[in-house]
Amino acid sequence: MTQGSGKLLDFETLRKSCRRCSVLELCLPAPLEGADLDRLGGMLCSRSYTPNQHVYNTGDRSGNIYIVRTGSLKSWVTTIHGHEQILGFHLPGEIFGLDGVDAFQYQSGVQALEPSELCLLPYDALETIASQVPSLHRQLLRVISREIVIEHEHVMMMSSRPAIERVALFVQVLAQREALRGQPPQLLKLTMSRADIASYLALANETVSRMLSRLEQSGLIRVTHRKLEILDPEGLIEITGEYPVSLRLAD
Amino acid sequence: MTQGSGKLLDFETLRKSCRRCSVLELCLPAPLEGADLDRLGGMLCSRSYTPNQHVYNTGDRSGNIYIVRTGSLKSWVTTIHGHEQILGFHLPGEIFGLDGVDAFQYQSGVQALEPSELCLLPYDALETIASQVPSLHRQLLRVISREIVIEHEHVMMMSSRPAIERVALFVQVLAQREALRGQPPQLLKLTMSRADIASYLALANETVSRMLSRLEQSGLIRVTHRKLEILDPEGLIEITGEYPVSLRLAD
DNA sequence: CGATGTATTGACATTGATCAATTGGGGTGG
DNA sequence: CCACCCCAATTGATCAATGTCAATACATCG
């Protein structure tokens, strides 16, 4: 496994660290008592990654669950043809690495798309955490739950038949995920390449380009290289006529 | 939520129940002590479902994680236009219901494809279980891990470009899942309709029919209504591996 | 400022969706 | 037990949408 620059955190550092973490409310929505936070000491580890750096590769011996603190990453598998299939993008507050629990080795590869910081949770520590900090256990389950909903959203994108819908849905879901962590959802930074998006949506990258251009010509968005501005959210929703009910915010 | 015929199990019944369960080694691979099994008493609940019966619907207040004991089920979401998108099929030993943890309501619907029996795990009980039966906590994580791997396999199917690959992969993965629970993997019972398969693979159901016929004409499988026999597993692998792409991919 | 890889745009070919007709099974009632 | 019916599945013909190939424009990074 590719190693990042990591360090174990002592009690005091951790408490401060988690309290200052930008995704605290996602990772630990329930207020943890100071004592509970202390118990986490020694279990957690924070690590930084540079763009393109691998967190782990397919087949690597597993051992950790990861939660994104800052930055963004992609996970993928390589097919027999040597073709790379993107399985997901990981934004702050989101989890990955669970696919390695069952077989003791990761079933996919993960690499950073930009400078990123991750929070590591060793599998072994989870049992201890679960038994000693029950509220954290519930929070972990919630993060896993969100991850599964995101996977379902991915399926919804891939099953949208007209390519324009897939791309529009992609933009919308990305904006939603930005909003969830309190970021302005109308200005997106596409940290992944067009080819990554294309693979994620099961389209040719030329098609992704064309559809983005089409959305821009319709006045719905504005794209300049890796910056994307949503001009007309309502219009986007109209395009994705098949927008799944489950994706809409509580109403 | 639609109610099945359920009953709470006392200690003794549960112990026998779990010990006789066909998916014991999937659900609880690590041997549990008798005392641990006893502690599960009162937390677990078993329920039977008839074909087409709903376990829950999108928007239902959540509360349980489900593990399949016998039978098979499908989960789906309905789009605004009334179109049904299949998210997954659930076989014995597999888990579902996690998508309801975060928002306190299920984000999808689930219904039985045949007479099925489910094991219910209330969210609330999970914390207790985790703290009192640590080994079970780890097993739960493994079942979740398998579920995520299955979701990734689903994405791989949907991203396979030629339709024949998607269907071939579908058959292979289904056989694999049968094999995992000790069933002969060459004889499959398709409990779901062609339309369900089509939705799952993001294809038209006519295309699924055509591809199954094509696989049969090639002598790789034998399909009669809902029974599918794999005649040439190697041949299937070659199709998913080399079909049309290998002719053009020069890498 | 130049070089290399990424993104866009265009032209064409092909796959799979759509529409339509037919067959086939499983369930129900006579 | 058989016959009917209805829904599921198969098969066929056509065409639009998107993948593929190719060339150009554009950033980013050295």
Side-chain angles (χ1 to χ4, degrees):
Chain A
M1 187 198 308
T2 313
Q3 295 295 322
S5 59
K7 61 173 169 26
L8 280 171
L9 303 173
D10 59 52
F11 288 7
E12 198 50 38
T13 312
L14 171 78
R15 193 195 298 187
K16 282 184 194 151
S17 176
C18 272
R19 282 192 177 142
R20 265 180 308 154
C21 181
S22 67
V23 294
L24 172 64
E25 61 285 351
L26 289 173
C27 182
L28 304 172
L32 279 191
E33 296 301 315
D36 277 355
L37 269 182
D38 282 353
R39 282 199 211 91
L40 288 176
M43 296 173 186
L44 292 179
C45 174
S46 177
R47 232 176 238 174
S48 295
Y49 294 83
T50 58
N52 299 321
Q53 187 181 354
H54 288 56
V55 179
Y56 54 74
N57 247 313
T58 304
D60 280 354
R61 178 162 184 80
S62 65
N64 295 303
I65 285 170
Y66 298 81
I67 294 181
V68 185
R69 295 186 117 196
T70 62
S72 56
L73 308 92
K74 67 174 177 181
S75 60
W76 81 96
V77 290
T78 308
T79 66
I80 305 176
H81 319 295
H83 171 242
E84 180 179 272
Q85 172 62 43
I86 300 293
L87 293 177
F89 302 110
H90 308 292
L91 307 183
E94 297 172 0
I95 198 174
F96 65 85
L98 275 163
D99 66 349
V101 174
D102 186 48
F104 298 104
Q105 55 181 28
Y106 295 110
Q107 306 296 306
S108 58
V110 174
Q111 73 185 100
L113 292 167
E114 59 182 325
S116 306
E117 205 182 335
L118 303 181
C119 182
L120 282 69
L121 281 148
Y123 295 161
D124 295 335
L126 286 179
E127 291 175 25
T128 317
I129 288 175
S131 53
Q132 296 187 353
V133 195
S135 59
L136 183 61
H137 176 249
R138 183 59 166 269
Q139 297 316 324
L140 178 66
L141 221 56
R142 293 190 61 183
V143 178
I144 292 176
S145 175
R146 272 201 296 270
E147 180 59 23
I148 287 178
V149 171
I150 289 175
E151 303 252 5
H152 289 176
E153 288 171 341
H154 183 196
V155 171
M156 294 307 297
M157 283 177 217
M158 296 183 95
S159 63
S160 299
R161 228 206 15 73
I164 189 81
E165 274 187 29
R166 297 197 199 182
V167 176
L169 202 51
F170 175 76
V171 171
Q172 279 181 276
V173 169
L174 216 58
Q176 229 174 351
R177 281 159 78 179
E178 287 293 321
L180 186 66
R181 41 181 274 250
Q183 302 298 318
Q186 53 270 39
L187 203 57
L188 303 176
K189 190 171 128 204
L190 303 176
T191 57
M192 68 293 290
S193 70
R194 296 290 191 275
D196 287 338
I197 299 175
S199 171
Y200 185 68
L201 299 178
L203 292 172
N205 43 21
E206 292 94 329
T207 306
V208 172
S209 264
R210 275 187 256 269
M211 296 307 139
L212 285 175
S213 302
R214 208 147 113 193
L215 290 176
E216 187 166 31
Q217 282 167 7
S218 309
L220 300 180
I221 64 173
R222 240 188 90 118
V223 257
T224 60
H225 23 164
R226 298 276 177 116
K227 297 236 184 297
L228 190 151
E229 190 181 356
I230 298 181
L231 302 173
D232 183 2
E234 316 281 323
L236 273 185
I237 292 177
E238 277 183 27
I239 284 205
T240 60
E242 302 269 310
Y243 202 70
V245 178
S246 65
L247 296 190
R248 288 189 303 179
L249 294 173
D251 47 7
Chain B
M1 184 201 311
T2 314
Q3 294 295 322
S5 59
K7 60 173 168 32
L8 280 171
L9 302 173
D10 59 52
F11 288 7
E12 198 51 36
T13 312
L14 171 79
R15 194 195 298 189
K16 282 183 194 149
S17 176
C18 272
R19 281 191 178 143
R20 265 181 308 154
C21 181
S22 67
V23 294
L24 172 64
E25 60 285 350
L26 289 174
C27 181
L28 304 172
L32 278 192
E33 297 301 314
D36 277 355
L37 270 181
D38 283 351
R39 282 200 211 92
L40 287 176
M43 294 175 185
L44 292 180
C45 174
S46 177
R47 230 175 240 176
S48 295
Y49 293 84
T50 57
N52 298 322
Q53 188 181 353
H54 289 56
V55 179
Y56 55 73
N57 247 314
T58 304
D60 280 353
R61 178 162 183 80
S62 65
N64 295 303
I65 285 172
Y66 297 82
I67 295 183
V68 185
R69 296 186 118 196
T70 62
S72 56
L73 307 93
K74 67 173 177 180
S75 61
W76 80 96
V77 291
T78 307
T79 62
I80 291 182
H81 288 50
H83 172 240
E84 180 178 273
Q85 172 63 41
I86 300 292
L87 292 177
F89 302 110
H90 308 292
L91 306 184
E94 297 172 0
I95 198 174
F96 64 86
L98 275 163
D99 66 349
V101 174
D102 186 46
F104 298 104
Q105 56 180 29
Y106 295 111
Q107 306 297 304
S108 57
V110 174
Q111 73 184 101
L113 291 168
E114 59 181 327
S116 306
E117 204 182 335
L118 303 180
C119 182
L120 281 70
L121 281 147
Y123 295 162
D124 295 336
L126 287 179
E127 291 176 24
T128 318
I129 288 175
S131 54
Q132 296 187 354
V133 195
S135 59
L136 181 62
H137 176 249
R138 182 60 167 267
Q139 298 316 324
L140 178 66
L141 220 56
R142 294 189 61 183
V143 178
I144 293 176
S145 175
R146 272 199 297 270
E147 181 59 24
I148 288 179
V149 171
I150 289 175
E151 303 251 2
H152 289 175
E153 286 171 342
H154 184 196
V155 170
M156 293 307 295
M157 284 177 216
M158 297 184 93
S159 63
S160 299
R161 225 204 26 71
I164 190 81
E165 272 187 29
R166 296 197 199 183
V167 175
L169 241 182
F170 175 75
V171 172
Q172 279 182 275
V173 169
L174 216 57
Q176 225 173 351
R177 282 159 77 180
E178 288 291 323
L180 186 65
R181 41 182 273 250
Q183 302 298 319
Q186 54 269 38
L187 202 57
L188 302 176
K189 191 170 124 204
L190 302 177
T191 57
M192 68 295 287
S193 70
R194 297 289 192 276
D196 287 338
I197 299 175
S199 172
Y200 185 68
L201 299 178
L203 293 172
N205 42 21
E206 294 94 330
T207 306
V208 172
S209 264
R210 274 186 257 269
M211 296 306 139
L212 284 176
S213 303
R214 208 147 115 194
L215 290 176
E216 188 166 30
Q217 282 168 6
S218 309
L220 300 179
I221 64 173
R222 242 188 91 117
V223 258
T224 60
H225 30 148
R226 297 279 177 113
K227 296 234 184 297
L228 190 152
E229 190 181 356
I230 300 181
L231 301 174
D232 183 2
E234 316 281 323
L236 273 185
I237 294 176
E238 277 184 26
I239 284 204
T240 56
E242 314 192 331
Y243 188 58
V245 195
S246 63
L247 303 175
R248 289 168 221 169
L249 274 186
D251 49 4

